[in-house]
C-alpha cells in the first residue's frame, strides 16, 4: 500500500510524467512476458503463448473513464483508481496454457499481483471469457497499476468481433443479438475444451511413447553389458585355461 505522502506526490505530477512512467512500465512488462514465453516453451512441444500485445490508454479514454466512475480528471486519481492505463494481452493456445502463464507471471521481478479475475471459470453474462490479472509494477520507484488479459485464440476472436460490433456504437439493446453472441461464446468455449482434451491426449501418448523408447534403450544397454561381461569372463576364466593346458 502507498503511504499518504506517496499519494500526495501524484498531485504535483504532470500528465506527461505519468504517461512516461506508464510507458516504461508497459515496455518492461512486454519484455518480461516475452522472456517468460521463451522460458515456458523451451521444453514443450507447442507454442504456449501465440501472441503478446500491449497498449496505453489515451488521454481521452482516461478522462472519460474517470468521469464515468465519478472521479475528478486528475493525475492523482488516474494513478490510484485506474488499473488498466497499462494493458497487456496474452493469447494462448489452450485453456491450461492460460493458467501455466499466470503461475509464471507471479514470479516476475518488480511485479506484484494484487487480484485475479477469472472470467473463464466464471464468464460474464454476455459470454465474455478471459482471465484478468491486475497488479503493481515498480521500475522507477513508483507503483504503476497494470492489467494483463489472458485468453485463448477462440476467446480472442469472439471478444474482437463483439468489440467491433458494440464498442462506442450506442446501439439499442437487442435480445436477439445478446442471445446470439452468448451462444457463439458457448460454442467456442466447448471447442476450446475439446481442443484441450485432444492436446492432452496427444501429449500423454507422446510421453508414453518416450517412456517406452527409453525403456527399450535401457534393455538394449543391459543386454550389451551382459554379453560384454560374458566375453570378458570367458577370456579370463582360470578354470578354462587349466583345462586347455
Amino acid at each position: 500500500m502507498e503511504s499518504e505522502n506517496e499519494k500526495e506526490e501524484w498531485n504535483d505530477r504532470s500528465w506527461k510524467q505519468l504517461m512516461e512512467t506508464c510507458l516504461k512500465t508497459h515496455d518492461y512488462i512486454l519484455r518480461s512476458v516475452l522472456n517468460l514465453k521463451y522460458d515456458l516453451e523451451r521444453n514443450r512441444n507447442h507454442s504456449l503463448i501465440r501472441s503478446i500485445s500491449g497498449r496505453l490508454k489515451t488521454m481521452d479514454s482516461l478522462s472519460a473513464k474517470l468521469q464515468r466512475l465519478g472521479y475528478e480528471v486528475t493525475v492523482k486519481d488516474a494513478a490510484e483508481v485506474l488499473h488498466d492505463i497499462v494493458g497487456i494481452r496474452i493469447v494462448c493456445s489452450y485453456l491450461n496454457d492460460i493458467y501455466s502463464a499466470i503461475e509464471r507471471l507471479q514470479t516476475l521481478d518488480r511485479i506484484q499481483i494484487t487480484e485475479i479475475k477469472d472470467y473463464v471459470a466464471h464468464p460474464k453474462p454476455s459470454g465474455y471469457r478471459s482471465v484478468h490479472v491486475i497488479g503493481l509494477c515498480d521500475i522507477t520507484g513508483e507503483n504503476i497499476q497494470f492489467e494483463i488479459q489472458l485468453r485463448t485464440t477462440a476467446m480472442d476472436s469472439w471478444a474482437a468481433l463483439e468489440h467491433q460490433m458494440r464498442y462506442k456504437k450506442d446501439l439499442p439493446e437487442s435480445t436477439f443479438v445478446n442471445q446470439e453472441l452468448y451462444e457463439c461464446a458457448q460454442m467456442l468455449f466447448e471447442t476450446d475444451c475439446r481442443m484441450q482434451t485432444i492436446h492432452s491426449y496427444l501429449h500423454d501418448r507422446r510421453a508414453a511413447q518416450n517412456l517406452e523408447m527409453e525403456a527399450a534403450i535401457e534393455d538394449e544397454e543391459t543386454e550389451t553389458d551382459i554379453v560384454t561381461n560374458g566375453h570378458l569372463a570367458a577370456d579370463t576364466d582360470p578354470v578354462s585355461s587349466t583345462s586347455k593346458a
Side-chain angles (χ1 to χ4, degrees):
M1 294 292 291
E2 292 179 304
S3 68
E4 287 301 317
N5 287 337
E6 288 174 324
K7 288 182 178 181
E8 286 302 318
E9 285 180 3
W10 282 115
N11 287 325
D12 300 324
R13 306 297 173 86
S14 68
W15 285 105
K16 181 180 178 181
Q17 287 173 309
L18 172 63
M19 298 311 291
E20 286 175 349
T21 304
C22 288
L23 179 59
K24 291 177 182 178
T25 300
H26 167 275
D27 292 347
Y28 172 79
I29 296 176
L30 273 184
R31 287 195 304 272
S32 298
V33 173
L34 186 60
N35 290 333
L36 180 150
K37 167 182 165 65
Y38 295 146
D39 187 45
L40 276 172
E41 295 175 0
R42 186 170 293 119
N43 297 315
R44 296 175 187 254
N45 293 312
H46 76 282
S47 177
L48 187 146
I49 294 176
R50 297 187 61 82
S51 69
I52 306 165
S53 58
R55 64 99 184 99
L56 294 181
K57 271 191 176 299
T58 65
M59 289 299 301
D60 288 343
S61 183
L62 285 175
S63 176
K65 188 165 187 178
L66 284 171
Q67 292 179 54
R68 188 168 67 250
L69 295 174
Y71 290 92
E72 295 182 13
V73 182
T74 65
V75 173
K76 179 176 182 295
D77 283 345
E80 294 175 7
V81 174
L82 302 181
H83 61 255
D84 61 345
I85 298 179
V86 176
I88 306 294
R89 181 169 299 149
I90 299 174
V91 178
C92 299
S93 294
Y94 302 100
L95 288 169
N96 287 354
D97 294 341
I98 293 174
Y99 299 99
S100 296
I102 291 173
E103 186 177 343
R104 295 300 297 273
L105 283 174
Q106 298 182 74
T107 68
L108 294 178
D109 292 336
R110 300 183 178 182
I111 287 178
Q112 176 189 353
I113 305 302
T114 58
E115 185 178 6
I116 297 177
K117 298 180 179 180
D118 192 343
Y119 297 119
V120 172
H122 307 285
K124 291 186 177 183
S126 64
Y128 173 86
R129 280 185 166 89
S130 187
V131 178
H132 293 193
V133 175
I134 299 167
L136 299 169
C137 180
D138 179 4
I139 62 169
T140 63
E142 299 165 326
N143 277 324
I144 294 295
Q145 297 191 79
F146 66 85
E147 179 180 273
I148 300 176
Q149 297 179 359
L150 300 98
R151 56 181 64 152
T152 63
T153 303
M155 294 172 194
D156 190 56
S157 175
W158 182 94
L161 293 174
E162 191 267 353
H163 179 85
Q164 184 183 80
M165 286 186 280
R166 288 182 180 276
Y167 192 58
K168 295 182 180 178
K169 299 255 187 341
D170 296 323
L171 296 176
E173 189 68 15
S174 169
T175 301
F176 167 76
V177 171
N178 292 343
Q179 186 62 29
E180 286 294 302
L181 284 170
Y182 177 80
E183 290 182 8
C184 285
Q186 289 299 102
M187 286 189 287
L188 288 170
F189 182 64
E190 290 170 8
T191 300
D192 266 333
C193 291
R194 294 176 71 176
M195 287 294 188
Q196 178 65 66
T197 298
I198 295 169
H199 173 70
S200 297
Y201 171 78
L202 293 174
H203 176 271
D204 292 343
R205 284 289 300 274
R206 190 179 297 111
Q209 288 175 347
N210 289 339
L211 288 174
E212 290 175 1
M213 290 176 61
E214 290 174 4
I217 292 171
E218 288 180 3
D219 290 342
E220 289 178 4
E221 291 175 346
T222 300
E223 290 177 4
T224 301
D225 288 343
I226 292 173
V227 171
T228 301
N229 292 335
H231 285 310
L232 289 173
D235 292 341
T236 59
D237 188 346
V239 176
S240 298
S241 299
T242 304
S243 298
K244 289 179 181 178

